Amino acid sequence: MDIRRRPPATVHDGAATKKPSSSSFPAPKASDALPLPLYLTNAVFFTLFFSVAYYLLHRWRDKIRSSTPLHVVTLSEIAAIVSLIASFIYLLGFFGIDFVQSFISRASQDVWDLDDAPPRIPDPPLPKLPLPEPSISSQEDEDVVKSVVEGTTPSYALESRLGDCRRAAAIRREALQRVTGRSLEGMPLDGFDYESILGQCCEMPVGYVQIPVGVAGPLLLDGFEYTVPMATTEGCLVASTNRGCKAIYASGGATSVVLRDGMSRAPVVRFSTAKRAAQLKFFLEDPLNFDTLAVVFNRSSRFARLQGIQCAMAGKNVYLRFTCSTGDAMGMNMVSKGVQNVLDFLQNDFPDMDVIGISGNYCSDKKPAAVNWIEGRGKSVVCEAIIKEEVVKKVLKTSVACLVELNMLKNLAGSAIAGALGGYNAHASNIVSAIFLATGQDPAQNVESSHCITMMEAVNDGRDLHISVTMPSIEVGTVGGGTQLASQSACLNLLGVKGASKESPGSNARLLATIVAGSVLAGELSLMSAIAAGQLVNSHMKYNRSCKDVSKVTS
């Protein structure tokens, strides 16, 4: 950011002319009128103030002791009182020197605004550096802001009416501040490509939120090293995951397997009777009808391939859970289009079918559900590693026996007592959320994507630790949605999974899912070790508590 100030331009007869700069006509400083240098003058008045104050206090003490009236003063006391008042006035105005100087500078600038000003000596050209663009830069923008505040111009229509996404965000931001009476200072506006989110990522933007991105690794997974980006505001998280990666690396790495890859969508339809609803269920589950339904479904995309249909009934209502592959996309829109094609097709044979909703929550999206825990959704991944005994002791600062016991009592028994659904782990959602934010995934799908069961077992005659995480519903993609934004795209590129795979469609998304599982494995290993060794509270007190006031720090 260029902190140098450029001289403002004035409009005269339709042409912009620059005012003379202070380099050509230097403005006098308030300190120039002082007989001594400023620091010496300050020292004199400081000394004078405290000296006369000390003198007067002693004089008044003596008068009180001798019962002399305080209003009876000598010539020296009068001089001391005058000196005290004068020095106090000077010290009171000391911090206003900058104001006096700026006032004199403005006065001198106004002198040169006269029509008979002498010819100006041109300043040497300054290098052109980018300056922050003001949010509201013209009278035309001001008029638009007023129309938004008054309600004559809809805020959501600014992009289409102005044709400039950044300008629309600035105007909306200013209108919002005026309507609410609350400032958005601290939320950055510039430095973001608002065109990239138009119509697909976020509506009615007024700025963007900064989340720091750290890296953990290298994570040695399936013979390859990955540096994992994590966007988080929680202290210790990246450091802890990094320690887990170190332990895995020192033990020879982790291995992963993708068990299932299929996104689901489940509409709900209704009939007049339960018998009629059951006829649809039997029709959809008949293997003889699957090929026809698959052809209809697959028309929605060249990557969508129907894998199966699972039906459930509640009285005369039928819930149809369609599952399909989606290539490198997360696939919610893709599967929804395929489901709509099938529903339109079914209307021919079941004209009395009433489609209540394209989603009936049997999918189940963005909610903890047993169907996802059992059947899976997105990518189902298992990841494992054997951590050597010396690594457990030296890197993780604990023992194999302590980790196995803690995992059984905390992650398994403790979660069971709590009635957890898919939460048989220490903090899988911490790592999942951080990677989701960094790579442009849907953060709300952290709910089912964090379903995880962590298992630990002593192997090799009890010397080493076998640890695994099983995650049945990791919902990720490397194309579409937020993955195309610049920062998120850079994080995907760091992992080597940016965009769609041309050689093997879907392989980039599957690889990303295994990296998520591998990172969760590292995070589980490190946190469980910290708890077993009694390090959790100390580490958080050291790294997750700050005395620095960052409320005024802006970009």
Side-chain angles (χ1 to χ4, degrees):
M1 176 179 178
D2 188 1
I3 61 174
R4 293 175 297 176
R5 306 181 68 144
R6 295 186 178 180
T10 58
V11 178
H12 182 69
D13 294 336
T17 60
K18 292 184 178 179
K19 293 181 180 180
S21 67
S22 58
S23 60
S24 299
F25 305 98
K29 297 180 180 179
S31 58
D32 293 341
L34 299 175
L36 296 174
L38 185 60
Y39 72 94
L40 290 179
T41 305
N42 292 340
V44 169
F45 276 96
F46 268 109
T47 304
L48 179 64
F49 177 82
F50 289 108
S51 298
V52 297
Y54 181 80
Y55 170 76
L56 289 173
L57 288 175
H58 272 270
R59 291 290 299 166
W60 290 338
R61 185 189 64 180
D62 294 339
K63 288 184 178 182
I64 292 173
R65 288 178 176 177
S66 60
S67 301
T68 304
L70 295 179
H71 64 272
V72 177
V73 293
T74 64
L75 184 62
S76 61
E77 291 174 345
I78 294 175
I81 292 173
V82 172
S83 300
L84 180 69
I85 296 174
S87 59
F88 176 76
I89 293 175
Y90 174 84
L91 295 176
L92 185 66
F94 173 70
F95 296 101
I97 290 294
D98 287 339
F99 171 78
V100 175
Q101 290 179 351
S102 63
F103 177 81
I104 295 176
S105 298
R106 288 197 299 270
S108 63
Q109 287 283 48
D110 292 340
V111 172
W112 296 115
D113 284 338
L114 299 176
D115 292 338
D116 58 350
R120 173 183 175 276
I121 301 174
D123 294 331
L126 294 173
K128 294 183 178 180
L129 298 176
L131 292 175
E133 186 178 354
S135 58
I136 301 301
S137 57
S138 67
Q139 183 60 41
E140 182 181 358
D141 286 355
E142 178 65 25
D143 294 339
V144 178
V145 170
K146 291 180 179 178
S147 68
V148 174
V149 172
E150 294 168 357
T152 56
T153 298
S155 179
Y156 61 82
L158 287 174
E159 280 80 5
S160 60
R161 294 194 180 187
L162 300 177
D164 186 336
C165 292
R166 192 268 173 205
R167 182 184 172 200
I171 290 174
R172 181 181 298 111
R173 178 193 184 105
E174 181 64 24
L176 177 63
Q177 293 182 129
R178 296 184 188 182
V179 170
T180 61
R182 298 185 180 275
S183 173
L184 289 178
E185 183 182 0
M187 177 187 293
L189 175 67
D190 293 312
F192 188 82
D193 182 10
Y194 293 95
E195 300 283 348
S196 64
I197 64 173
L198 181 63
Q200 51 193 351
C201 287
C202 180
E203 298 76 41
M204 300 176 65
V206 294
Y208 58 97
V209 174
Q210 297 167 309
I211 302 179
V213 178
V215 291
L219 171 65
L220 183 57
L221 179 65
D222 298 322
F224 295 92
E225 296 182 5
Y226 302 97
T227 301
V228 183
M230 302 175 67
T232 182
T233 56
E234 179 183 354
C236 293
L237 180 59
V238 177
S240 178
T241 307
N242 188 69
R243 183 175 76 149
C245 291
K246 179 181 179 181
I248 293 172
Y249 195 102
S251 300
T255 58
S256 65
V257 179
V258 178
L259 305 174
R260 190 185 296 110
D261 181 7
M263 181 52 64
S264 62
R265 174 61 85 195
V268 54
V269 299
R270 182 172 58 193
F271 290 88
S272 57
T273 64
K275 181 177 180 180
R276 184 62 171 157
Q279 290 175 355
L280 175 63
K281 172 178 167 61
F282 297 148
F283 177 85
L284 293 175
E285 292 179 344
D286 189 343
L288 298 178
N289 298 325
F290 180 80
D291 290 341
T292 301
L293 296 173
V295 171
V296 174
F297 185 97
N298 296 345
R299 292 174 186 167
S300 62
S301 170
R302 59 195 179 102
F303 298 109
R305 294 295 179 267
L306 184 64
Q307 297 174 343
I309 306 174
Q310 185 178 4
C311 299
M313 285 182 55
K316 57 183 181 178
N317 305 299
V318 188
Y319 297 82
L320 322 173
R321 193 172 192 264
F322 292 79
T323 305
C324 77
S325 60
T326 57
D328 284 303
M330 185 270 290
M332 285 299 303
N333 293 333
M334 192 182 299
V335 66
S336 296
K337 289 191 293 183
V339 167
Q340 189 62 57
N341 290 346
V342 174
L343 292 176
D344 294 340
F345 174 79
L346 290 174
Q347 293 281 184
N348 297 323
D349 293 326
F350 297 88
D352 54 337
M353 180 180 69
D354 185 12
V355 179
I356 303 302
I358 191 67
S359 175
N361 275 7
Y362 186 41
C363 314
S364 172
D365 186 42
K366 301 172 184 175
K367 291 166 285 293
V371 68
N372 291 337
W373 177 243
I374 298 171
E375 298 293 336
R377 189 169 192 255
K379 279 70 175 170
S380 300
V381 181
V382 60
C383 186
E384 64 179 346
I386 296 179
I387 310 301
K388 298 177 181 179
E389 181 182 26
E390 56 269 25
V391 175
V392 173
K393 292 180 178 180
K394 294 180 180 180
V395 178
L396 302 177
K397 311 300 182 183
T398 185
S399 66
V400 173
C402 288
L403 284 174
V404 172
E405 181 182 32
L406 178 63
N407 186 72
M408 179 186 66
L409 295 178
K410 170 183 166 62
N411 289 343
L412 303 182
S415 297
I417 291 175
L421 181 58
Y424 296 90
N425 57 81
H427 71 149
S429 63
N430 245 341
I431 290 87
V432 173
S433 296
I435 299 178
F436 271 31
L437 291 173
T439 59
Q441 311 303 314
D442 187 339
Q445 289 185 324
N446 162 72
V447 176
E448 62 268 40
S449 296
S450 296
H451 282 349
C452 171
I453 182 169
T454 300
M455 303 292 291
M456 293 186 185
E457 180 183 351
V459 295
N460 299 329
D461 297 327
R463 296 191 306 272
D464 301 332
L465 174 72
H466 180 276
I467 178 174
S468 68
V469 293
T470 304
M471 307 179 69
S473 50
I474 302 178
E475 299 166 356
V476 293
T478 58
V479 295
T483 64
Q484 63 189 0
L485 300 180
S487 300
Q488 289 80 348
S489 180
C491 290
L492 289 171
N493 188 57
L494 177 64
L495 294 172
V497 295
K498 177 182 176 180
S501 173
K502 297 180 180 179
E503 295 78 15
S504 177
S507 61
N508 279 354
R510 287 190 291 271
L511 177 55
L512 178 58
T514 62
I515 293 173
V516 171
S519 302
V520 169
L521 183 74
E524 291 286 282
L525 181 62
S526 183
L527 177 59
M528 292 293 287
S529 299
I531 296 175
Q535 301 169 339
L536 180 64
V537 175
N538 291 335
S539 61
H540 273 271
M541 292 298 293
K542 180 178 180 181
Y543 295 107
N544 203 24
R545 293 177 64 87
S546 174
C547 297
K548 181 180 179 181
D549 182 9
V550 296
S551 60
K552 297 182 180 180
V553 178
T554 59
S555 63

